[in-house]
Amino acid sequence: MRKPLQRHQEKWWLPVPHVPTSGLQEDTRKQLTHKRECANQILKAAMAINSVALEEMEVPESYFKSLPKNGKNCLGDVIYHYITSEQFSAECLLDCLSISSELVALEIANCVETSIYIWRKRVHSRTNLLDPNRSASKAMWDMFKDLITNGCKRDLLADRAESLLHCLKHRFPGLTKTSLDITKIQHNKVVINLLFETRRTYIRLLII
């Protein structure tokens, strides 16, 4: 522990800490602890601001166009089997998946988030599928029956997928941005600039 630390060549600008052999004094230790707590508070505040802003952003149309046709193909057979079973538990499902790294967790988060929008957010138009020879009232009744039959099932699957995504982010709090978040950021530059200004102001208030 007392060996001099070697400076990383790829990060040459980072300072190398030097600690006396006798250790830090009590006042210095308290000061460093206080700075660490303040830095953690600033980080949590910034992450909270980012999360709220991303949730409020409108989903770009390009994201909807890139969605697969159904959630089963997106999730895969294993996750889809567990998420459609009668006894569903998000925690048990994550335990069964045995996620080995944050990269794997991010891939699962992208698939689950996509399935949510397939089942709940995406608007399926059946205008081109209707028979022009059939009456308008008959066509509307068929569409209504289809929505009643499949709507409840899609809402249930979407609720379970949201629960799974929430548990996944809770287990991996440092998870990087999902594909949807990146798409939102790329298509909402004005909101992002406002977000940065708000975050800088909040950080100044914390420092003061």
Side-chain angles (χ1 to χ4, degrees):
M1 298 297 294
R2 298 302 179 185
K3 294 182 179 179
L5 299 177
Q6 298 295 328
R7 189 188 302 273
H8 297 286
Q9 296 298 328
E10 66 275 11
K11 297 181 179 180
W12 54 267
W13 62 88
L14 295 178
V16 178
H18 295 278
V19 180
T21 306
S22 58
L24 296 175
Q25 297 181 356
E26 187 63 25
D27 293 340
T28 305
R29 190 187 302 275
K30 291 182 179 180
Q31 184 180 10
L32 290 176
T33 302
H34 176 70
K35 289 183 177 180
R36 183 184 64 180
E37 294 176 353
C38 291
N40 289 334
Q41 292 180 3
I42 293 173
L43 176 60
K44 291 179 180 179
M47 293 177 64
I49 294 173
N50 287 348
S51 299
V52 173
L54 285 173
E55 290 178 0
E56 295 297 329
M57 286 183 184
E58 184 179 356
V59 180
E61 187 64 26
S62 59
Y63 180 80
F64 289 108
K65 293 181 180 179
S66 65
L67 293 177
K69 292 184 178 181
N70 57 71
K72 181 178 181 180
N73 294 340
C74 180
L75 292 176
D77 295 336
V78 176
I79 299 180
Y80 184 79
H81 171 74
Y82 279 98
I83 210 171
T84 54
S85 62
E86 295 183 0
Q87 303 296 330
F88 169 76
S89 172
E91 295 290 344
C92 293
L93 176 54
L94 292 179
D95 293 337
C96 294
L97 293 177
S98 300
I99 303 173
S100 57
S101 64
E102 289 193 357
L103 180 60
V104 177
L106 180 61
E107 293 178 356
I108 296 176
N110 285 326
C111 295
V112 173
E113 194 170 52
T114 301
S115 67
I116 295 173
Y117 279 85
I118 292 175
W119 287 323
R120 178 165 289 171
K121 303 297 184 180
R122 187 177 181 181
V123 179
H124 296 276
S125 176
R126 296 183 56 186
T127 304
N128 297 329
L129 300 179
L130 298 178
D131 187 351
N133 297 325
R134 300 168 65 187
S135 62
S137 59
K138 179 64 175 178
M140 291 299 296
W141 174 245
D142 290 341
M143 292 179 63
F144 178 75
K145 288 192 299 182
D146 180 68
L147 289 175
I148 293 298
T149 303
N150 299 323
C152 295
K153 180 180 179 181
R154 287 197 300 265
D155 287 339
L156 176 62
L157 295 178
D159 290 339
R160 291 182 174 184
E162 287 181 348
S163 175
L164 178 61
L165 182 62
H166 176 75
C167 292
L168 183 63
K169 290 184 177 180
H170 181 72
R171 287 197 180 189
F172 296 87
L175 202 65
T176 56
K177 296 293 183 293
T178 61
S179 299
L180 176 59
D181 293 337
I182 295 175
T183 305
K184 285 183 176 181
I185 293 172
Q186 292 175 346
H187 289 77
N188 293 273
K189 294 181 179 180
V190 176
V191 179
I192 291 299
N193 292 334
L194 179 61
L195 171 63
F196 285 153
E197 290 297 331
T198 304
R199 188 169 62 181
R200 280 196 290 265
T201 303
Y202 191 83
I203 291 175
R204 294 193 194 101
L205 292 176
L206 285 178
I207 294 176
I208 294 174

